[in-house]
Amino acid sequence: MTSIGGAEMVDWNLAVATATRLVRPGPEVSRDEARAVVAELRRHAKSSEEHVRSFTGMGTEETHDTPVLVVDRAGWVRANVEGFRELLKPLLDKMQDKRSGTPGGAVLGAVGGKVTGVELGMLLSFLASRVLGQYETFAPATRDLPAGANGGGRLLLVAPNIVHVERELDVAPHDFRLWVCLHEETHRTQFTAVPWLRDHLEGEIQGFLGETEVDPMTVLERVREAAQAFATGRGDAEEDAASDGGRSLVELVQTPAQREILGRLTAVMSLLEGHADFVMDGVGPDVVPSVAEIREKFKERRARGASRLDQVLRKLLGLDAKLRQYRDGERFVRAVVEEVGMEGFNRVWTSPNTLPTKAEIAKPAEWVARVHRKAD
């Protein structure tokens, strides 16, 4: 990784060590129960492939080369650290070039790498107990964590978290595990059936990172401004998320150019998350008998959060925006499918030009008018 005098810009090993030390233990299960959960999740992941392809009309009969990994919380942390290293390398190289000419740069690199490693580890420890599953789009293959060929990703299912939530919601374990797999398999299908999607998303993310201020004092000043905004109450978790005071820490330290890119990224992520929710509920009635009960209880859980502290952290980190992506994206997909059918909706995957804008996510009829009626 990028380093100055042997000191990494981010101490990735310290990030992993910090996260695995701080992450809460999962639910108590016996060894036999754990094996049974892992085996069932693997079966559901496999069966979900055909369910998703049949419902969406996407993909082929060829077996996906992206592996399915059933992991614990520490395994999720290690996988995501590798993903961060891959995705952030261009930005860190840019920061390396900037800092190498700065007096005391080696010392700043050594200290900053440790501090950033601890901070990243703390963030990952918070998230590691909440993520049920994840399609890692930019995952590099490692000795312990295989990934798809030619830059393909991998599908992670976090077994302890799935067991924890199914117990918390008091729902049928078999149904809930399949329901989760349907959502994550939809993400895998999106990226394997739409060859240009990964490169497009990576290009947008790299464009976003490329606009990042690399002057340490500038970044520090922007972070201070953001922190002051929250200290004065403008970032309270109960404020309207649409107001300036409802913006996350991530949003408050952005440049104008980054906000423009983020608008496009938000639209894409809303589409991907909403589509996955739409598919998991659309397939559900045929293969998940208790899908209506699961959906209702899960929506309530999403809405209330685990505690006030959890709500504040979700707001600070921008996770509330992700919850809105599920809701707004699902509403967009449902409205378009009702208007032009699944085949008509699938025009969204034609090219980057047919992806919805952020405004069209809120007004699906405008996307239909632009992509369908203009083409017709």
Side-chain angles (χ1 to χ4, degrees):
M1 271 306 297
T2 302
S3 62
I4 301 176
E8 295 184 357
M9 296 287 289
V10 178
D11 190 329
W12 300 104
N13 291 332
L14 183 57
V16 172
T18 300
T20 52
R21 184 173 67 252
L22 294 179
V23 71
R24 293 178 295 180
E28 291 186 8
V29 295
S30 68
R31 186 178 297 273
D32 288 341
E33 287 175 317
R35 288 173 177 166
V37 170
V38 170
E40 185 173 22
L41 287 173
R42 292 188 183 280
R43 290 196 303 271
H44 286 331
K46 182 63 178 177
S47 66
S48 294
E49 293 182 28
E50 180 55 36
H51 293 315
V52 171
R53 284 200 299 265
S54 177
F55 183 80
T56 64
M58 299 173 65
T60 66
E61 294 301 320
E62 297 178 6
T63 303
H64 295 312
D65 74 339
T66 51
V68 176
L69 306 181
V70 182
V71 298
D72 59 10
R73 291 170 176 175
W76 180 87
V77 167
R78 289 192 295 272
N80 276 266
V81 164
E82 291 302 323
F84 279 138
R85 292 180 72 158
E86 182 77 7
L87 199 59
L88 295 177
K89 189 176 187 304
L91 173 62
L92 295 182
D93 285 345
K94 183 179 177 181
M95 296 180 71
Q96 149 76 11
D97 293 340
K98 183 75 172 180
R99 185 175 287 176
S100 60
T102 303
V107 175
L108 287 174
V111 175
K114 297 293 184 184
V115 172
T116 307
V118 170
E119 291 173 339
L120 178 58
M122 294 173 66
L123 170 62
L124 289 171
S125 71
F126 171 76
L127 297 174
S129 62
R130 286 159 174 78
V131 176
L132 301 182
Q134 173 186 2
Y135 181 72
E136 272 203 296
T137 314
F138 309 106
T142 67
R143 183 180 61 182
D144 300 323
L145 295 164
N150 301 318
R154 54 179 167 243
L155 183 61
L156 304 179
L157 297 169
V158 191
N161 296 348
I162 293 173
V163 172
H164 172 78
V165 173
E166 70 191 25
R167 290 179 178 179
E168 178 187 344
L169 299 182
D170 190 24
V171 294
H174 171 85
D175 287 3
F176 184 74
R177 294 166 193 175
L178 177 54
W179 189 70
V180 171
C181 287
L182 288 170
H183 182 103
E184 302 309 329
E185 176 57 35
T186 302
H187 285 318
R188 183 161 69 153
T189 297
Q190 290 164 348
F191 284 94
T192 54
V194 185
W196 54 264
L197 184 57
R198 180 188 183 277
D199 289 342
H200 172 72
L201 194 59
E202 183 177 19
E204 291 282 54
I205 292 172
Q206 292 303 333
F208 181 89
L209 294 176
E211 292 291 333
T212 300
E213 297 281 0
V214 294
D215 175 47
M217 293 307 296
T218 300
V219 174
L220 180 60
E221 184 60 32
R222 295 179 71 84
V223 171
R224 284 173 177 166
E225 291 174 359
Q228 288 171 3
F230 282 96
T232 56
R234 292 196 296 116
D236 189 272
E238 295 180 356
E239 287 194 46
D240 182 1
S243 69
D244 287 341
R247 287 191 291 162
S248 69
L249 179 60
V250 175
E251 291 172 307
L252 285 168
V253 297
Q254 290 164 8
T255 66
Q258 284 178 315
R259 291 193 185 99
E260 182 178 341
I261 297 172
L262 185 67
R264 296 195 298 269
L265 279 171
T266 298
V268 175
M269 298 310 298
S270 295
L271 170 68
L272 299 180
E273 297 294 358
H275 183 235
D277 265 15
F278 178 79
V279 171
M280 71 196 295
D281 287 347
V283 173
D286 292 332
V287 298
V288 183
S290 59
V291 65
E293 177 191 2
I294 292 173
R295 163 55 73 191
E296 186 61 29
K297 289 184 175 181
F298 199 74
K299 284 176 64 177
E300 291 176 0
R301 181 180 185 272
R302 273 182 181 172
R304 68 175 181 266
S307 64
R308 177 167 176 79
L309 175 61
D310 187 68
Q311 290 173 346
V312 171
L313 288 172
R314 289 192 323 187
K315 174 76 71 177
L316 183 65
L317 298 173
L319 300 182
D320 273 3
K322 186 171 181 64
L323 299 183
R324 293 196 298 275
Q325 287 170 7
Y326 287 110
R327 182 191 64 222
D328 298 343
E330 195 273 342
R331 187 183 299 124
F332 169 84
V333 176
R334 185 174 301 280
V336 172
V337 171
E338 289 176 355
E339 179 71 18
V340 296
M342 184 62 74
E343 184 177 352
F345 166 79
N346 281 342
R347 287 195 191 181
V348 79
W349 312 116
T350 303
S351 75
N353 292 330
T354 57
L355 291 172
T357 64
K358 189 176 180 180
E360 288 170 342
I361 287 289
K363 297 180 179 180
E366 293 184 0
W367 180 87
V368 172
R370 177 172 67 87
V371 174
H372 279 267
R373 292 169 191 164
K374 183 176 180 180
D376 294 343

